Amino acid sequence: MIHFRKSLEGVDRPQMEADVVIVGGGPAGMACALRLAQLIDAHNAAHPDAPMSKENIYVLEKAREAGQHCLSGALLDPRSMNELLPGFEKEAPLDGQVHKESVYLLTRAGQHKFPITPPPMRDHGNYVISINKFVKWMAQKVEEVGITIFTGFAGTDVLLDGERVLGVRTDDKGVDKNGQPKSNFEAGYDLHSKVTIFSEGARGSCTQQIAQKFQLENPEHAQVYGVGIKELWEIPAGRIAPGEVLYTLGYPLTTKEFGGAWIYGISSTEISVGFVMGLDYADPRTDPHHAFQSFKEHAFLRGILADGKMIRYGAKSLPYGGWNCLPQLYGHGWMLAGDSAGFLNSQRLKGIHLAIKSGMLAAETAFDALRSGDASTTQLAAYKTRVDASWMREELYPVRNFHQAFEHGLLPGMVKAGIQQVLGGANLGPDFKCSPGYKNMQHLGTCSVSDDARAQFLGPAKGDGKLTFDKLTDVYHAGTRHEDDQPTHLVIADLDICNRRCTQEFGNPCQHFCPASVYEMVEEEMVETSEGSGSTQQKELHIHFANCVHCKTCDIMDPYQIIHWTPPEGGGGPNYDGM
Amino acid sequence: MKILVCLKQVPQKDAPLKLNESGTWIRDDISYEVNEPDAYALEEALRQKEKHGGEVVVITAGPTRAQQVLREALAKGADRAIHLEDDGFVGMDAVNTARALAAALEGESFDMIFTGLQSDDYGFAQTGVLLAELLHWPHATIIIGIEKTESGVRLKRELEAGHYQMLDMPLPCVLTIQSGINKLRYATLIGIKQAKNKPVKRLTLADVQGKLGKNLQVVERLYVPVKQKKTEMLEGTSVELAKKLVEKLRNEVRVF
Ligand SMILES: Cc1cc2nc3c(=O)[nH]c(=O)nc-3n(C[C@H](O)[C@H](O)[C@H](O)COP(=O)(O)OP(=O)(O)OC[C@H]3O[C@@H](n4cnc5c(N)ncnc54)[C@H](O)[C@@H]3O)c2cc1C
Ligand SMILES: Cc1cc2nc3c(=O)[nH]c(=O)nc-3n(C[C@H](O)[C@H](O)[C@H](O)COP(=O)(O)OP(=O)(O)OC[C@H]3O[C@@H](n4cnc5c(N)ncnc54)[C@H](O)[C@@H]3O)c2cc1C
Ligand code: SF4
């Protein structure tokens, strides 16, 4: 019997009072904390008679250390950092400035270089960064200004009083795999806060709780996602310059799937290679990890990676929907920031600068709320006003239809995107609608048995151990670690659906879309209970939760929406050092 | 009971290790954590204090980043900390580390000093024992049980093959603690907050330099082992195969 994680009942829970709790210490959360500290310091300098305290502002981060669960390309558009910490370039860990970009369309046998780099893909002046190192550095700044980051603590449950968010509960520690407290059990805290800011990244688990409870999404514009798979490589010098950027479209995907790849030069011998795939594909056997491996087998990539060495692996989801898919951003006692809100420019594959900016604007709104002692919905509505008045809207509104244009494939998408370019983001009609990506998934029976056009990403990748890898080899390079003796944090509402209905209808796509081999269908001998004697073979779902890299793909793409990703015991998860 | 616990900050177990430019050690842009047996040593000290009262002090010799292990210990319940803070403590040999620790303890008085059995990075398994020598205190290694007695402590040591040794030892003494002796506690939110106001005494390399000697043990060069996985396929009938296999096992693998 699989025991799923949930907060223990009937235990004494410690409580703590807070002014602001920031759930998730990525770029959005750290920027929010820093901006709050700046505002409070400025206030205290101006009003020494009525000082405000930073004592009770907390950041919760589920990783053992700040940045360890952060994964990105990554190119940093410095715009918001220049506002947050002018002159940050002098001390932040930056790997080099982008000086050269090219875009290629890959076909099975060749590649075509775009004669010019389309304007949205021009990244001159951006920096190549390791988001892990960058967030670690931001965390140092946050600690220096006197705000406490609780690393190794996850927000697990949103505490509600009707419409009002009272704060969050942190994870129970020391619970065994049967859900029983161990001798070192520590109950999670009830953290009561005047303002709670959710900056948990894409598909945040607390964010999902309120999104469902308060129906924050507009059903006509549901959020859509992609999953990004990344490897760090060491390669012989002279192939990719530091600060060089390459994008590819096309192979191994067909024109029906949305996705593409990047290569960023970190140093003369180190590159970031990754592949993003829309989580709105049709064939349930699609395996994004396999697509990435096939991409690396393309002659163009072989030339870059030959004799190199893969040193790190990771995967993470990202919100693609854009401006029209933004949910309600605030309510009584709460705000959403960064990827949790969906602030990502999918045309540019960039969200870090927007996450930072949204964190700053949420901080400004929280600061006003603290000063006025009012965190009501009306007061926090100022957040949305700030977003609308900022350059975030200027950047995101014109590309609001970008991803949606590709819903029917690459070629019509390019045409539609071209029209949008001319019309300032509009279509030749109303804005496109958006429905959740899992709804596109087709029953196995309707897919052709051997789909040659898609063989390169259906089912698992084999891997040659040098250029390409099977999932388990890759996962080993994610450095993921979880306490083994704990309940399963992938909470499945109805295992019967997995073991019977899904096997029939979709062939258990969780085995394929999970980039960390968490889900496995294992043959089990079933003794028949009815009159028929003997036994039959049936497959049963096994969940290797300790492999999980917290990408949230399963929560997003499961066709029955019965998988809920919840935070495991704090501190568990991947180790994206240097990613 | 006044107990000092020596904590070393080491690379996290799953950290991606890369050699530094000169090939003498690893690049330090990775994450660190407390050395595993040291975490058990701290837990044991906290339990002794809870039973018998007293004070738990933690000490580390390491760069600025090493304060992480002190803060964690303070969050779990240690009372105060001493940080010998300098990059120069990285790669120092066991004798000099022990000398630095001993020098930092001048003016302090403890009933027991706990160290881990050995460190996850260098694995000397010497520092605790050398510290005892320098202090002229008795020591015992690989401790898996500690009971306070009238005259001192009754100890349980782990030996080979499931054997144990019980022994009595007077105080003060140095004990090197084995992993798994207890179950580690978690830091709590309130503990982490309170840790911010606990005293941390800072000493520099200069403060103890006079007590140190030349580093006699120096890493000149590290090598990454080259993977050598060779699969050889044997062919033939099952009888031939069995014969070939036995030959291989006897002459090449030499298992018998
Ligand atoms: C593969 C890939 C490539 C990308 N490339 C680029 C790029 O080149 N340039 C760019 O600008 N953007 C890029 N992006 C987007 C960018 O990474 C994100 O927009 C950005 O990281 C969002 O920041 P965030 O702070 O909102 O969320 P995140 O970076 O996801 O941080 C969220 C943090 O919250 C923590 N957390 C989550 N839930 C909880 C909880 N319940 N309790 C406690 N802690 C929690 C997580 O551990 C994490 O540390 C890319 C994204 C992906 C996936
Ligand atoms: C039960 C057990 C099983 C182990 N199994 C393994 C294993 O299978 N594989 C493995 O790699 N490691 C194993 N180890 C660890 C390994 O034994 C130690 O890491 C290693 O012995 C450490 O060597 P060292 O010289 O650093 O320290 P020590 O082992 O402390 O060596 C000190 C040695 O120096 C001698 N010595 C001390 N003072 C003097 C002196 N003044 N004059 C002369 N001699 C002196 C001591 O008697 C001792 O022999 C095991 C350890 C234990 C306790
Ligand atoms: S179990 Fe879900 S969240 Fe974890 S790695 Fe697999 S798909 Fe991602």
Side-chain angles (χ1 to χ4, degrees):
Chain A
M1 242 264 304
I2 305 177
H3 194 95
F4 296 111
R5 179 171 272 277
K6 64 167 192 274
S7 291
L8 291 199
E9 278 159 31
V11 294
D12 264 344
R13 282 194 188 280
Q15 290 197 3
M16 214 156 116
E17 298 299 321
D19 290 327
V20 180
V21 169
I22 299 165
V23 186
M30 293 302 177
C32 182
L34 271 176
R35 186 83 190 108
L36 257 172
Q38 290 173 348
L39 292 166
I40 291 175
D41 288 345
H43 169 93
N44 291 351
H47 308 276
D49 44 314
M52 291 168 72
S53 162
K54 291 176 284 188
E55 265 299 278
N56 299 321
I57 300 175
Y58 306 114
V59 181
L60 291 181
E61 171 52 54
K62 63 181 161 67
R64 261 177 298 163
E65 273 189 59
Q68 284 193 318
H69 290 181
C70 291
L71 180 115
S72 195
L75 298 186
L76 173 72
D77 176 337
R79 189 167 186 180
S80 44
M81 278 311 292
N82 281 326
E83 296 175 5
L84 181 63
L85 292 170
F88 78 100
E89 288 100 333
K90 283 189 238 63
E91 45 167 323
L94 309 171
D95 284 318
Q97 215 161 2
V98 178
H99 57 83
K100 180 178 172 195
E101 314 91 342
S102 16
V103 183
Y104 290 84
L105 181 67
L106 301 187
T107 59
R108 192 177 284 269
Q111 70 267 358
H112 306 283
K113 187 171 173 182
F114 281 44
I116 53 154
T117 304
M121 286 167 155
R122 277 183 215 151
D123 296 319
H124 271 60
N126 289 354
Y127 294 98
V128 178
I129 61 166
S130 149
I131 200 176
N132 160 267
K133 291 183 193 163
F134 193 80
V135 168
K136 241 187 219 183
W137 171 78
M138 287 183 93
Q140 268 170 23
K141 294 268 146 207
V142 170
E143 299 251 308
E144 278 165 21
V145 297
I147 289 182
T148 307
I149 306 173
F150 292 123
T151 48
F153 289 85
T156 56
D157 305 80
V158 181
L159 304 174
L160 292 167
D161 176 17
E163 295 279 287
R164 182 171 161 216
V165 167
L166 297 177
V168 289
R169 177 170 294 167
T170 63
D171 60 296
D172 286 336
K173 298 184 190 297
V175 179
D176 73 12
K177 57 176 179 296
N178 299 313
Q180 297 303 313
K182 296 186 253 189
S183 64
N184 60 351
F185 173 72
E186 284 292 340
Y189 275 60
D190 279 350
L191 259 177
H192 288 166
S193 181
K194 293 174 184 145
V195 182
T196 307
I197 293 161
F198 298 99
S199 48
E200 306 174 275
R203 197 77 166 191
S205 48
C206 290
T207 309
Q208 279 298 105
Q209 286 173 26
I210 53 168
Q212 279 165 13
K213 181 110 189 159
F214 301 149
Q215 301 191 327
L216 302 180
E217 272 192 3
N218 176 348
E220 304 233 302
H221 294 284
Q223 185 59 271
V224 282
Y225 300 86
V227 58
I229 309 214
K230 167 173 169 177
E231 289 173 353
L232 277 185
W233 276 74
E234 266 167 8
I235 56 166
R239 292 183 186 168
I240 302 282
E244 183 174 349
V245 165
L246 289 115
Y247 293 107
T248 76
L249 296 168
Y251 187 83
L253 302 186
T254 76
T255 55
K256 294 286 182 223
E257 295 86 21
F258 184 80
W262 79 81
I263 297 167
Y264 298 149
I266 299 169
S267 68
S268 56
T269 57
E270 208 177 328
I271 56 169
S272 155
V273 198
F275 194 88
V276 185
M277 181 157 190
L279 289 173
D280 48 7
Y281 54 77
D283 193 317
R285 297 165 296 179
T286 302
D287 182 335
H289 170 266
H290 190 176
F292 177 42
Q293 301 309 313
S294 297
F295 160 72
K296 289 187 295 171
E297 285 184 306
H298 191 279
F300 183 62
L301 265 289
R302 279 182 189 274
I304 295 172
L305 298 175
D307 304 318
K309 187 167 174 251
M310 189 269 287
I311 48 180
R312 230 47 204 150
Y313 170 83
K316 197 167 189 300
S317 57
L318 59 164
Y320 263 160
W323 184 263
N324 282 343
C325 296
L326 292 178
Q328 162 95 16
L329 295 173
Y330 61 89
H332 196 165
W334 63 271
M335 289 177 268
L336 303 180
D339 276 7
S340 286
F343 289 121
L344 184 128
N345 183 338
S346 69
Q347 193 187 36
R348 297 175 63 207
L349 186 66
K350 277 181 193 56
I352 302 171
H353 65 303
L354 295 161
I356 290 169
K357 180 70 180 177
S358 66
M360 291 166 68
L361 298 180
E364 287 164 22
T365 312
F367 173 75
D368 287 347
L370 289 184
R371 232 177 21 168
S372 63
D374 174 10
S376 65
T377 309
T378 344
Q379 173 76 22
L380 298 187
Y383 177 43
K384 173 77 166 114
T385 315
R386 283 187 165 95
V387 169
D388 287 341
S390 73
W391 52 258
M392 292 177 74
R393 184 177 187 280
E394 265 164 49
E395 178 176 339
L396 290 175
Y397 188 73
V399 296
R400 67 193 176 283
N401 285 310
F402 178 75
H403 176 72
Q404 288 77 345
F406 288 87
E407 194 174 329
H408 300 288
L410 180 64
L411 297 178
M414 302 264 259
V415 174
K416 289 180 203 163
I419 294 170
Q420 291 166 12
Q421 194 81 42
V422 177
L423 297 182
N427 294 315
L428 293 171
D431 283 357
F432 293 125
K433 292 184 179 165
C434 218
S435 60
Y438 69 86
K439 291 201 167 159
N440 290 347
M441 202 185 275
Q442 306 279 311
H443 280 188
L444 203 52
T446 66
C447 302
S448 65
V449 181
S450 64
D451 186 343
D452 288 342
R454 293 185 171 75
Q456 64 275 12
F457 57 80
L458 297 187
K462 286 208 185 66
D464 62 14
K466 286 207 167 104
L467 178 69
T468 56
F469 307 97
D470 60 32
K471 261 186 211 170
L472 279 177
T473 306
D474 257 336
V475 174
Y476 172 75
H477 289 88
T480 192
R481 197 190 329 164
H482 289 90
E483 162 67 50
D484 282 326
D485 188 13
Q486 66 171 314
T488 301
H489 68 278
L490 292 317
V491 177
I492 300 192
D494 185 352
L495 278 169
D496 260 358
I497 294 188
C498 304
N499 294 334
R500 290 163 201 279
R501 206 173 136 199
C502 186
T503 310
Q504 295 278 323
E505 291 182 344
F506 293 101
N508 303 101
C510 55
Q511 308 172 88
H512 306 303
F513 58 56
C514 170
S517 288
V518 167
Y519 300 99
E520 187 187 8
M521 297 304 293
V522 180
E523 296 270 4
E524 301 277 330
E525 195 118 342
M526 299 297 289
V527 181
E528 213 126 323
T529 46
S530 53
E531 70 276 9
S533 59
S535 61
T536 57
Q537 296 287 322
Q538 195 196 323
K539 286 193 171 183
E540 201 169 86
L541 181 64
H542 284 214
I543 307 174
H544 309 292
F545 69 84
N547 283 356
C548 177
V549 297
H550 299 198
C551 72
K552 320 279 177 79
T553 302
C554 51
D555 194 288
I556 296 164
M557 201 52 184
D558 139 43
Y560 304 95
Q561 291 294 291
I562 51 170
I563 303 180
H564 295 289
W565 187 95
T566 61
E569 182 173 298
N575 175 354
Y576 289 149
D577 274 353
M579 284 288 260
Chain B
M1 289 263 227
K2 255 183 91 174
I3 306 174
L4 177 82
V5 185
C6 301
L7 302 173
K8 185 175 191 185
Q9 192 196 37
V10 295
Q12 277 185 7
K13 283 197 191 61
D14 40 29
L17 303 183
K18 281 190 235 155
L19 296 189
N20 62 14
E21 300 277 302
S22 53
T24 50
W25 195 234
I26 51 168
R27 272 168 50 173
D28 70 353
D29 57 350
I30 45 167
S31 295
Y32 289 84
E33 66 189 353
V34 69
N35 183 40
E36 189 180 39
D38 304 5
Y40 288 94
L42 170 68
E43 178 65 39
E44 198 52 34
L46 294 172
R47 288 179 184 213
Q48 293 294 333
K49 181 184 113 173
E50 279 157 9
K51 261 194 230 149
H52 308 295
E55 190 186 20
V56 173
V57 183
V58 287
I59 185 169
T60 196
T64 309
R65 59 170 157 76
Q67 62 170 281
Q68 169 212 26
V69 301
L70 298 179
R71 282 223 290 189
E72 245 172 58
L74 294 172
K76 288 185 171 184
D79 300 286
R80 60 191 171 89
I82 305 170
H83 190 176
L84 280 159
E85 185 175 344
D86 202 290
D87 290 348
F89 291 111
V90 177
M92 194 174 264
D93 70 17
V95 176
N96 275 324
T97 306
R99 285 177 180 144
L101 294 173
L105 301 184
E106 263 166 38
E108 300 269 3
S109 72
F110 292 102
D111 299 308
M112 289 194 280
I113 296 178
F114 292 175
T115 73
L117 172 73
Q118 64 185 55
S119 58
D120 291 343
D121 51 1
Y122 284 94
F124 287 146
Q126 296 171 349
T127 310
V129 180
L130 289 163
L131 179 60
E133 269 315 295
L134 293 169
L135 297 172
H136 305 293
W137 290 9
H139 75 266
T141 54
I142 331 174
I143 299 302
I144 53 167
I146 304 170
E147 288 295 334
K148 193 175 178 311
T149 59
E150 292 280 298
S151 58
V153 281
R154 173 135 252 253
L155 303 172
K156 189 173 180 186
R157 292 187 69 218
E158 184 182 86
L159 303 177
E160 295 269 351
H163 290 281
Y164 302 115
Q165 180 187 19
M166 304 297 293
L167 70 152
D168 289 304
M169 191 164 272
L171 301 179
C173 63
V174 176
L175 305 178
T176 79
I177 308 289
Q178 169 72 304
S179 290
I181 172 174
N182 46 42
K183 198 154 179 68
L184 302 180
R185 72 190 60 195
Y186 295 93
T188 63
L189 296 188
I190 198 74
I192 294 170
K193 252 195 92 135
Q194 286 168 347
K196 294 201 158 179
N197 301 321
K198 290 184 176 174
V200 179
K201 179 169 148 193
R202 291 207 159 69
L203 295 169
T204 62
L205 189 53
D207 294 328
V208 296
Q209 190 85 59
K211 298 281 167 42
L212 307 187
K214 192 166 175 283
N215 251 3
L216 293 178
Q217 195 167 352
V218 181
V219 179
E220 282 178 7
R221 192 70 212 275
L222 286 180
Y223 298 89
V224 180
V226 188
K227 260 193 217 139
Q228 289 177 321
K229 202 164 85 178
K230 239 173 44 192
T231 311
E232 204 179 320
M233 300 302 285
L234 302 178
E235 279 166 29
T237 65
S238 43
V239 177
E240 288 163 6
L241 278 177
K243 230 169 116 188
K244 281 187 194 166
L245 187 59
V246 169
E247 257 165 42
K248 290 242 168 247
L249 291 176
R250 178 174 293 144
N251 301 330
E252 288 177 29
V253 192
R254 291 174 204 248
V255 289
F256 44 72

